[in-house]
Amino acid sequence: MISILNITFYVLIFLSVYVQVFFFVTFLENRKRIIVRNSKIKLRSYPSVTIAVSCFNEEATVGKTIQSIFSLNYPKDKIEILIVDDGSLDNTWNIISKFAQYSNVKIFRKENGGKYTALNLALEHTKTDFFGGLDADSFADPESLVRIMSYFEKDSNIMAVVPSVTVYDFKNTIQNTQKVEYHMGVYLKKMLGFLGGINVTPGPMTIFRKCVFDDLGPYKHGHNTEDMEIAFRMQKNLYKIEHCNDAYVYTTTPTTLGKLYRQRLRWIYGFINNTLDYKSVILRKKYGNFSIFTLPMGIISIISVTYLFCRIIYNLVSFIYSKIIVLKTVGFNFTNTNFNFDPFFLNIRFFIFLVVLVYFLVIFAMISGRKMAEGKWRISLSMVYFFPIFSIIAPLWIISAVYSTLLRRLPAWR
Amino acid sequence: MNNNIDWKKYFIVFLITIGLFLTAGYLSNYLGNKKIDQLKSIQDKIAIDILSSETQFSLLSELSCKNVSGSLLSGELEELGRKLDWGQDNLGSTEEVSYLKKYYSLLQIKDYLLMKKISSSCGVKSAFILYFYTTAENCSLCEEESLVLTSLRNKYEELRVYSFDYSTDLSAVKALLKIYKIKDTELPALILDDDLLTGFHTLEDLESRVKKSFKLQETKPPAGENQSDKKSS
C-alpha cells in the first residue's frame, strides 16, 4: 500500500516537473516573439467591433467599465457598445440608462438568465465582424483594443484574441496574492498561445471574429463558465486562439477568502465539467497541444494538488497524534529542550530538490508574467507569501469542485 | 490552427526531466553519504574517547577517581543515537546505517561497563537503564517508553539510558538479551539495577525506581573510596 502511494507521489512529481520544464522550454523557444509595445500603434484599417457588457448587480463598477470603453484608443464610430442588464436588483439599470444617449450605445434589460444568456442577446444584435465582451467589473486599458486588433490584422486565421488580465486596485493581502497569480496567468496564457492550447477566453475583453458564433453557435451555459466552454468548442473545431500580452484589462478581484473560494470553485468546477463534456478531445493528436498538453496538464494539476493536500493532512494528523502521545505519556515537559539548529537534520530526500525546482520555475513564471504585463522585471514579497496562502486554500476549492462534480451539484456564481 | 505537435520537444522535455530526476537523486545520495561520513567520524571519536577512558581508568583508578569521572560521554552518545535514528528514517535503512547502528550498540555496551565500574569504584552517583525495543514491527508501547526515558534522562543528569534494538545482529547485544532473558514478545523491556521490567512503565513508576537506586548508592560506600582517598592525599 505504502509503495503504491510512494509510486503515485513520484509519478505526480515527475509530471509536475515535466509540465513546468515544458513551459520553460516553450518560453526559451519563443522569448524573442514576446513584445511589449509601449507606444501607440496604428492599424492599416479599423474594423468595427461590438463590445457587450453584461451586468447583474454591478452598480459599483459598471459606470467605470463603460467609461473605459469610451476611452479606448480606437475610432469611436467603429465601436458599438451593447449593455445588457441581466435582471439586476440594484441600481445597475439606472446607471446604464444614462449611457443610452450615446449613438453607439444600446441598452437592454431582461429577466435574469445567467451571463451566457445576456451575451447571446448581445450577439443577436451584433452587426459587426468582431465581437467581444467586457465583464462589468473589469476595465479596459485605452490601448488594449487596438493591440488586440493588430493580431487579427496580421493573421487572418486567428479567430479569437485574449488579453492579459491583471488585478485592479488591490488593497489587501488576498488581492495582492491574486495579483501575483494573475501575472503567472499571463505567462501561462502566452505560452499556451504559442502552443495553440489556450483553454479559456476570459470574459474581460476577449475579442472574437463574429463568424465563430455564426459557425459554432452562441454561448452555452458551460457549467457557469461560458468563457471556458466556448474556448473548448473552438479548440475542438480547430479555431485558432491567440494571446495579446500587451493588451491589458484590469479586473476587480474577490476581497475576502470566502468570495475567492466561491469564484475559484466555479472556475475549477467549470474546468472539470467542460473537460468531461469534451473528453473525446483528450489525447487526440488531431486537436494539437490543447489535447496533448493543456487538458492533461489541468487534470494532472488537479490530481497533484488533491494528492499533496491529502498527504499534508495525513502528516499533520500524524504530527498532532504524536504530540498527544507525548502529552499523555510525559505531560508538559519543556525542560532541557534543545533548539540548536543542526544542518545534519535537514531533509535531503531527492524529491525535495525537485519540489524546490518547481517552486523556482513557478516564481520565474510570475516574474516573466509581470514583465509581459508591466514591462518590468520585478520581484515582490507577495511572490513569497503566495505559496503558503494558495497551498492551504487552493486544495480546498479543488477538492470541493471534485466533490460537487461527483454529486452533480452546480456551485453558485458568487 | 496551430495543431502541429512538436513531438521532438515533448521528447526533449522528457529527457530533461529524467536528467533532473537523476541529478536530484545523485545530489541526495552525495549528501546522504556525507552524513554517513559525519556519523562515522562522530563514532570514531567516541570510540577513541571510550578507549582512552578505559585506559585512563586502568592506569589511574588505583590512584585517583577525579580525572576519570570527568570524561563522561553521555551527551555525545545520545546525539549520535538521535542522528542514527534520523538516518535510519531518512537516509533509508542502508547497509552502512545498520552497520553504524551495530557499532553504536557496541559503544554503548562499552560505555555502560566502564561507567558502571567508575560508579562503583569512585562513588559517582549514577543509575543505569538498559532499554530494549524493536523496529522490526510496529511497537507503539516502545515509542511511548522512549518518550518516558527521554523525559527522565532530561530530568536526571546522572541517569544513563542505553537503548538497544532487539533485532540488532550483534553478538554482544545477543549476549545481553541472553543474560537478562529478554524475549521479543515482552518488548519494551528495561533493566534497572539488574531487575527486568517488561511492558510499558509510566514516568512516575520509573522515576521512583531511579530515585530508589540513587538512595541505595548513598547508603553504600563506594568500593574504592578509602583506598583512593588515601592515595590521592
Side-chain angles (χ1 to χ4, degrees), chain B residues 137-177:
Chain B
E137 54 194 272
N138 190 15
C139 174
S140 57
L141 288 180
C142 299
E143 284 167 24
E144 289 178 28
E145 196 64 79
S146 299
L147 291 168
V148 168
L149 290 170
T150 307
S151 170
L152 213 54
R153 192 161 45 184
N154 287 338
K155 203 167 174 186
Y156 298 100
E157 264 183 39
E158 305 87 350
L159 173 68
R160 297 174 77 88
V161 179
Y162 300 98
S163 319
F164 300 96
D165 189 341
Y166 186 89
S167 47
T168 305
D169 186 20
L170 186 74
S171 53
V173 174
K174 284 184 177 158
L176 276 180
L177 294 171

Side-chain angles (χ1 to χ4, degrees), chain B residues 56-91:
Chain B
Q56 203 181 2
F57 184 74
S58 307
L59 287 171
L60 302 176
S61 62
E62 305 210 345
L63 300 167
S64 168
C65 281
K66 280 179 195 165
N67 298 325
V68 177
S69 54
S71 62
L72 292 172
L73 291 163
S74 66
E76 284 173 57
L77 258 181
E78 197 183 311
E79 190 201 339
L80 179 64
R82 274 195 294 124
K83 286 185 172 173
L84 274 171
D85 283 345
W86 185 90
Q88 201 170 24
D89 291 342
N90 293 282
L91 301 174

Side-chain angles (χ1 to χ4, degrees), chain A residues 10 13-14 17-18 21-22 25-26 29 194-196 235 238-240 285-289 292-293 325-326 328-330 333 335-336 338 342-350 353-354 357, chain B residues 1-7 9-11 13-14 16-18 20-21 24-25 27-28 31-32 35-36 38-39 79 82-84 86-87 89-91 144 147-148 151 153-155 200 203:
Chain A
Y10 294 138
I13 285 197
F14 184 90
V17 173
Y18 186 93
V21 172
F22 198 90
V25 169
T26 307
E29 266 180 340
F194 288 133
L195 295 166
Q235 292 287 5
L238 310 181
Y239 280 33
K240 188 173 179 178
K285 67 176 184 180
K286 176 183 164 190
Y287 302 110
N289 289 312
I292 304 290
F293 182 72
I325 294 289
V326 171
K328 208 181 89 189
T329 46
V330 294
N333 186 4
T335 50
N336 289 323
N338 191 359
D342 187 342
F344 181 90
F345 295 107
L346 278 179
N347 198 331
I348 49 146
R349 278 191 244 184
F350 88 100
F353 298 103
L354 296 168
L357 176 79
Chain B
M1 177 67 202
N2 181 14
N3 61 343
N4 295 326
I5 299 170
D6 185 357
W7 292 112
K9 180 170 155 186
Y10 279 87
F11 183 65
V13 173
F14 180 76
I16 294 173
T17 311
I18 294 272
L20 289 169
F21 255 66
L27 214 57
S28 167
L31 293 174
K35 289 192 182 195
I36 288 173
Q38 204 182 330
L39 287 176
E79 190 201 339
R82 274 195 294 124
K83 286 185 172 173
L84 274 171
W86 185 90
D89 291 342
N90 293 282
L91 301 174
E144 289 178 28
L147 291 168
V148 168
S151 170
R153 192 161 45 184
N154 287 338
K155 203 167 174 186
F200 177 72
L203 184 67

Side-chain angles (χ1 to χ4, degrees), chain A residues 366-382:
Chain A
M366 290 170 183
I367 298 170
S368 301
R370 191 171 188 177
K371 163 85 170 126
M372 285 175 213
E374 295 178 358
K376 296 168 213 155
W377 291 105
R378 262 196 206 162
I379 300 173
S380 66
L381 192 65
S382 43

